[in-house]
Amino acid sequence: MLTRRQTLALGAGGLAAMSAPGLVMAREDRGPSLHELAQAKGMRFGSALGVSPPGTVSGAFHDPQYRQLLIDECGVLVHENELKWYVARPDAQTFDFDRADIIMDFAEENGMEMRGHTLLWHHTDWFPDWINNHDFGSRPGTEAERMLTEHVRTMVERYRGRIYSWDVVNETIDEAGRFRQTALSRHLGEEVIDIAFHIAREADPDAELLYNDYMNWEAGYERQQEGVLRLLERLKARGAPIDGLGVQGHIGSGNYDYSTGFDTAREDTWREFLDDVVGLDLSLSVTEFDVHDKNLPADIETRDREVAELGRRYLDLMFSYPQTKDLLVWGLADQYSWYQEHWVREDGVAKRPTPYDENFQPKPLRQAIADALIAAAPRP
Ligand code: XIL
């Protein structure tokens, strides 16, 4: 067996030749895992994991080789979809934790911590139909608050002491910087956000509470950055118990119809935004990192190189903030990336946005993440 270093030294051609199903390096032949590299700096590394039906992109849990890869590389997991209202809340009365618990148990059996995603994806498209059509009665504000409180309290209490960090609210600011309206905010206004944070803190005073969103470093996201910053300022001013900002980190091209060019990063504007965020005494976490290759040439060697280079630049910038302690990727191997199903490439080829290829062989992006962690200063 080759060590990881020898395998990487083979370069892309050698890797391609070695790419055969079943050829996964034994744990003892590998160098330090990404989580071990992170830990050496006082950080954590992890990935999202989904337990949708077998054979689906978000059903990676059913693949034993993939589970082994997660065990080998990660110190943290996060549910890809299982805690969202549209999975865990089949109707207004019911909580269904069956799928969420499968991942929770797997993490605990293997000594991994868990993040919680998400208590309120405040975006009508991702609300279950039953909320959008819910009859809030004659005192709609009271009913909306009751419903939200029950949801947040039940979720957080169930996993109290087992989920160390929550994305309390996800994506409530649109690309124009506006606060999104939903069936809940229609009756509660922006206070819907405050309520979620207060109840979460009450239900688990030790958990870290984040606001999570996809404002990004590329051109086109400036107004969303501005909107997120203003929201964070208002939350702090009102005394909402918020600890940090989750920066999703879906960089690259072709997502959200904004970043059409691959490298349209505006690092200065992005740094100003991050400076303002940490200036509010908030931490930063990279919660859903991947590098979208939608508009890159099909050639695999070129694509993998460009993905790795952009990823490295981004992580170096994020890690230059000592407030950044967690790096989670949104999937560890390409066939389980959500991008296979969203914004498909015009040439129809499979995308390569994650650190490992479909045969569980490390790609240049895996090396880029390792190098960025090695270069990072130890966290205070
Ligand atoms: C995505 C999942 O990966 C998909 O399986 C699902 O169909 C849609 O949601 N930002 C987020 C995540 O906060 O919850 C999203 O996850 C990806 C974008």
Side-chain angles (χ1 to χ4, degrees):
M1 270 289 186
L2 300 170
T3 63
R4 168 174 283 144
R5 208 167 295 113
Q6 286 166 327
T7 307
L8 289 173
L10 283 173
L15 281 181
M18 284 184 62
S19 292
L23 190 60
V24 180
M25 283 181 286
R27 183 71 190 93
E28 62 271 18
D29 294 330
R30 292 169 181 250
S33 70
L34 291 173
H35 183 59
E36 283 162 354
L37 292 174
Q39 267 185 314
K41 300 299 166 69
M43 301 169 72
R44 298 183 184 85
F45 176 83
S47 174
L49 172 62
V51 64
S52 293
T56 59
V57 169
S58 53
F61 178 83
H62 304 285
D63 180 335
Q65 280 190 299
Y66 188 70
R67 290 202 301 273
Q68 189 56 50
L69 183 65
L70 294 167
I71 293 168
D72 288 347
E73 289 282 37
C74 298
V76 189
L77 294 179
V78 61
H79 300 90
E80 183 170 0
N81 293 304
E82 288 66 20
L83 292 179
K84 295 171 182 170
W85 291 62
Y86 65 80
V87 177
R89 300 299 309 278
D91 56 53
Q93 284 77 39
T94 316
F95 284 82
D96 179 352
F97 292 111
D98 289 356
R99 280 171 52 184
D101 283 348
I102 292 174
I103 294 177
M104 188 79 231
D105 293 346
F106 170 68
E108 287 179 343
E109 280 159 20
N110 291 287
M112 292 183 265
E113 296 185 274
M114 284 219 69
R115 297 202 66 250
H117 178 79
T118 166
L119 296 169
L120 182 62
W121 192 349
H122 197 244
H123 191 319
T124 297
D125 294 355
W126 301 102
F127 268 28
D129 284 344
W130 67 258
I131 306 189
N132 293 332
N133 303 324
H134 188 71
D135 176 7
F136 287 83
S138 58
R139 298 180 64 202
T142 310
E143 169 62 0
E145 183 167 353
R146 185 203 61 77
M147 226 162 89
L148 178 62
T149 300
E150 177 189 50
H151 179 85
V152 173
R153 184 172 288 149
T154 306
M155 284 274 166
V156 177
E157 280 183 353
R158 180 181 180 88
Y159 296 111
R160 182 176 175 148
R162 300 166 77 193
I163 284 183
Y164 72 92
S165 170
W166 280 98
D167 294 331
V168 177
V169 176
N170 194 37
E171 299 184 358
T172 197
I173 300 294
D174 69 13
E175 293 93 346
R178 291 171 309 219
F179 187 80
R180 290 185 207 276
Q181 291 300 337
T182 64
L184 294 177
S185 67
R186 206 162 298 132
H187 306 303
L188 294 170
E190 192 178 285
E191 212 198 326
V192 68
I193 310 300
D194 301 56
I195 294 170
F197 275 95
H198 281 288
I199 302 298
R201 175 63 31 105
E202 212 179 277
D204 187 350
D206 296 327
E208 172 191 67
L209 305 182
L210 304 188
Y211 173 71
N212 195 54
D213 212 329
Y214 64 84
M215 68 281 124
N216 232 333
W217 71 343
E218 285 120 9
Y221 289 102
E222 295 83 355
R223 285 186 297 165
Q224 195 181 19
Q225 287 172 23
E226 184 68 18
V228 167
L229 185 62
R230 297 284 96 86
L231 172 70
L232 296 175
E233 284 170 356
R234 292 195 298 274
L235 286 170
K236 287 293 272 189
R238 294 197 293 259
I242 175 172
D243 299 309
L245 174 66
V247 176
Q248 293 185 1
H250 295 294
I251 64 166
S253 71
N255 31 345
Y256 306 110
D257 304 324
Y258 268 75
S259 43
T260 44
F262 183 68
D263 180 4
T264 54
R266 291 197 176 162
E267 293 187 19
D268 289 353
T269 325
W270 182 239
R271 275 189 187 279
E272 279 166 31
F273 168 69
L274 296 175
D275 288 346
D276 287 341
V277 172
V278 299
L280 291 169
D281 197 23
L282 292 170
S283 70
L284 299 171
S285 295
V286 182
T287 52
E288 306 182 14
F289 178 66
D290 50 24
V291 187
H292 199 181
D293 55 334
K294 177 166 191 277
N295 299 321
L296 289 185
D299 175 64
I300 286 180
E301 213 179 311
T302 314
R303 226 182 332 152
D304 285 359
R305 190 185 60 242
E306 290 196 30
V307 161
E309 281 171 5
L310 192 70
R312 174 73 200 270
R313 234 173 86 200
Y314 181 77
L315 294 178
D316 282 348
L317 193 158
M318 293 309 298
F319 295 170
S320 74
Y321 288 83
Q323 292 86 352
T324 307
K325 295 210 170 97
D326 283 6
L327 168 62
L328 277 82
V329 293
W330 208 244
L332 205 51
D334 290 334
Q335 70 270 46
Y336 297 122
S337 166
W338 67 306
Y339 281 141
Q340 305 300 358
E341 293 182 322
H342 294 81
W343 305 284
V344 291
R345 283 175 62 102
E346 272 163 30
D347 59 15
V349 304
K351 292 185 189 164
R352 303 178 64 84
T354 79
Y356 279 81
D357 73 10
E358 72 281 9
N359 297 317
F360 308 109
Q361 298 299 322
K363 293 159 50 194
L365 182 60
R366 197 263 173 208
Q367 191 62 47
I369 297 172
D371 290 344
L373 288 167
I374 290 167
R379 307 293 100 166

